[in-house]
Amino acid sequence: MSIFSKIAAGEIPSYKCAEDERFYAFLDINPVAYGHTLVIPREETDYIFDLDDKTLADLHVFAKKVAVALKQVVPCTKVGVAVLGLEVPHAHIHLVPMQTEGDMDFRKAKLQFSAEEMQALADKVYAAFKAL
Ligand code: AMP
């Protein structure tokens, strides 16, 4: 079971931003920008392009809703989208509220926020998502 499956199952804590029966979104613990969020299918597949077509499409539609909620909470120019998957073998989409191109640089030093800041942010995104 991947770490992200355990997160989606509630066995490992996360800063939950959104969920439904098939998908789950939570804050990245090593964010490249404030509001950096990961969106995953609950179903465990390593490589995103190994997902069946419907799951891949529905994952993106779910991520779109998360991005709308995120942009309401975190002022930004746009929400950037990236797929890397080099570290965790469970398909996921990175959503990054961007001010500049540099906000999408995954090689730079990661940002740090307190647990209270992370929880407050996640709660706001969760509320915004539920209100859509
Ligand atoms: P990658 O697989 O290359 O797309 O990177 C995995 C991402 O997951 C990185 O940005 C990590 O900071 C993030 N990550 C790893 N473990 C956790 C966790 N327990 N909670 C939240 N984010 C995580």
Side-chain angles (χ1 to χ4, degrees):
M1 201 177 188
S2 77
I3 185 170
F4 285 178
S5 289
K6 289 180 182 169
I7 283 174
E11 292 171 17
I12 290 179
S14 68
Y15 298 105
K16 181 170 72 180
C17 294
E19 67 177 336
D20 69 8
E21 318 79 52
R22 298 166 60 217
F23 304 105
Y24 190 86
F26 55 106
L27 294 181
D28 193 302
I29 40 158
N30 292 305
V32 292
Y34 183 66
H36 181 177
T37 299
L38 302 175
V39 184
I40 64 170
R42 292 183 187 274
E43 172 193 319
E44 188 173 322
T45 297
D46 175 359
Y47 184 42
I48 193 165
F49 293 128
D50 284 336
L51 293 172
D52 65 81
D53 290 356
K54 179 167 168 41
T55 303
L56 180 64
D58 292 351
L59 173 66
H60 282 81
V61 172
F62 183 82
K64 175 183 172 181
K65 275 184 73 179
V66 178
V68 169
L70 200 50
K71 196 167 187 300
Q72 287 177 5
V73 174
V74 180
C76 59
T77 309
K78 288 184 175 173
V79 174
V81 181
V83 175
L84 285 81
L86 296 172
E87 186 186 319
V88 177
H90 184 135
H92 52 281
I93 294 173
H94 294 257
L95 296 178
V96 181
M98 295 182 297
Q99 308 295 345
T100 70
E101 189 183 342
D103 290 328
M104 293 296 287
D105 181 358
F106 284 77
R107 291 171 302 184
K108 72 181 182 190
K110 303 299 187 288
L111 304 179
Q112 283 197 322
F113 302 97
S114 70
E116 292 74 21
E117 286 173 307
M118 294 285 272
Q119 191 61 61
L121 172 58
D123 289 348
K124 281 186 202 157
V125 178
Y126 190 79
F129 179 87
K130 285 195 91 172
L132 288 175

